[in-house]
Amino acid sequence: MASLIAACVAFVGSHFLLSHPLRAGLVRRLGAQPFLALYSVVALATFGWIILAARAVPVEAPLWMAPQWVWSVGSALMLLASILFVGSLIGNPALPEARLDKAREPRGVFAVTRHPMMWGFAIWGVVHIAVWPQPSTILIALTMIVLALGGSAGQDAKKAQLMGERWQAWVSRTAFVPFAGPASARAMWPGWGVFAGGIALWLIATWAHPQLGAPAVGIWR
């Protein structure tokens, strides 16, 4: 557990340091592409450390037993997370290479939240704490929640500085917390392609769950 705690701290800490206080200086010294390579190597190394440390933790008793309805609600939330994740890959204005038109209206998952990918990870964390409350699982899930939501807040601040009025206009038409914004339910419909892609991701991920030694989930439970 000590190794797992250290790995989680390194994973989150390196993300925040490389995304904010150290980013500008390293980009100037290394260049944009070498910096992205360094960022990726550090992220993969620390995430790999989390996996190895988690596998080395002895068998743990859950802190509570989740009833079946919690598993069912969790499966539904993971379907939502899958749709948010798939939708975030198409036209995400928060991605580094994206350009945001000041007049653009939010549609699909971006009408739900301006950080659909990060909320997908946060939902994953909440669901795993609820249904599989082992200490190591809770630690990893909290790590993902802190990184996702803290990263989203940092991304808002960075984009506001870089993009100014265009980002502020986008923020005024979107929500940080899902479904808390001014967009209509009609605007939140992700489209059939994203909806189908989210279902496919959810089906594959839930099918693979027991193959990886985890409990059966979703329609396979």
Side-chain angles (χ1 to χ4, degrees):
M1 280 297 292
S3 179
L4 181 58
I5 291 170
C8 290
V9 170
F11 183 66
V12 173
S14 61
H15 268 77
F16 283 131
L17 287 172
L18 292 175
S19 295
H20 300 288
L22 301 181
R23 185 184 185 94
L26 287 173
V27 169
R28 281 195 302 268
R29 292 183 182 184
L30 303 176
Q33 293 305 317
F35 169 77
L36 289 176
L38 172 65
Y39 190 102
S40 300
V41 168
V42 172
L44 289 172
T46 52
F47 187 69
W49 184 8
I50 289 176
I51 293 174
L52 292 175
R55 287 181 174 177
V57 173
V59 175
E60 305 165 288
L63 301 182
W64 64 83
M65 297 303 295
Q68 182 55 44
W69 70 265
V70 173
W71 287 86
S72 300
V73 171
S75 292
L77 288 173
M78 285 309 303
L79 176 57
L80 171 62
S82 298
I83 294 171
L84 290 175
F85 180 84
V86 171
S88 73
L89 301 177
I90 304 171
N92 191 340
L95 294 177
E97 68 278 6
R99 296 183 179 182
L100 182 62
D101 183 355
K102 188 176 178 180
R104 176 178 170 184
E105 290 298 325
R107 289 287 184 270
V109 296
F110 298 103
V112 176
T113 170
R114 62 178 170 273
H115 297 290
M117 180 183 290
M118 295 303 185
W119 273 101
F121 292 138
I123 291 170
W124 178 94
V126 170
V127 169
H128 280 73
I129 290 173
V131 302
W132 202 245
Q134 295 177 328
S136 60
T137 302
I138 293 173
L139 177 59
I140 295 171
L142 286 175
T143 296
M144 296 304 174
I145 293 170
V146 170
L147 182 60
L149 301 187
S152 295
Q155 195 175 77
D156 275 355
K158 183 169 65 177
K159 288 292 183 179
Q161 187 177 28
L162 293 174
M163 302 175 69
E165 290 185 6
R166 286 180 298 153
W167 187 256
Q168 294 299 341
W170 180 247
V171 167
S172 70
R173 295 193 293 268
T174 56
F176 187 92
V177 178
F179 303 106
S184 66
R186 187 178 211 177
M188 292 179 187
W189 168 244
W192 287 108
V194 169
F195 185 70
I199 291 177
L201 174 61
W202 180 77
L203 286 172
I204 293 170
T206 53
W207 172 83
H209 224 246
Q211 318 302 323
L212 299 173
V217 293
I219 63 173
W220 319 105
R221 184 171 174 77

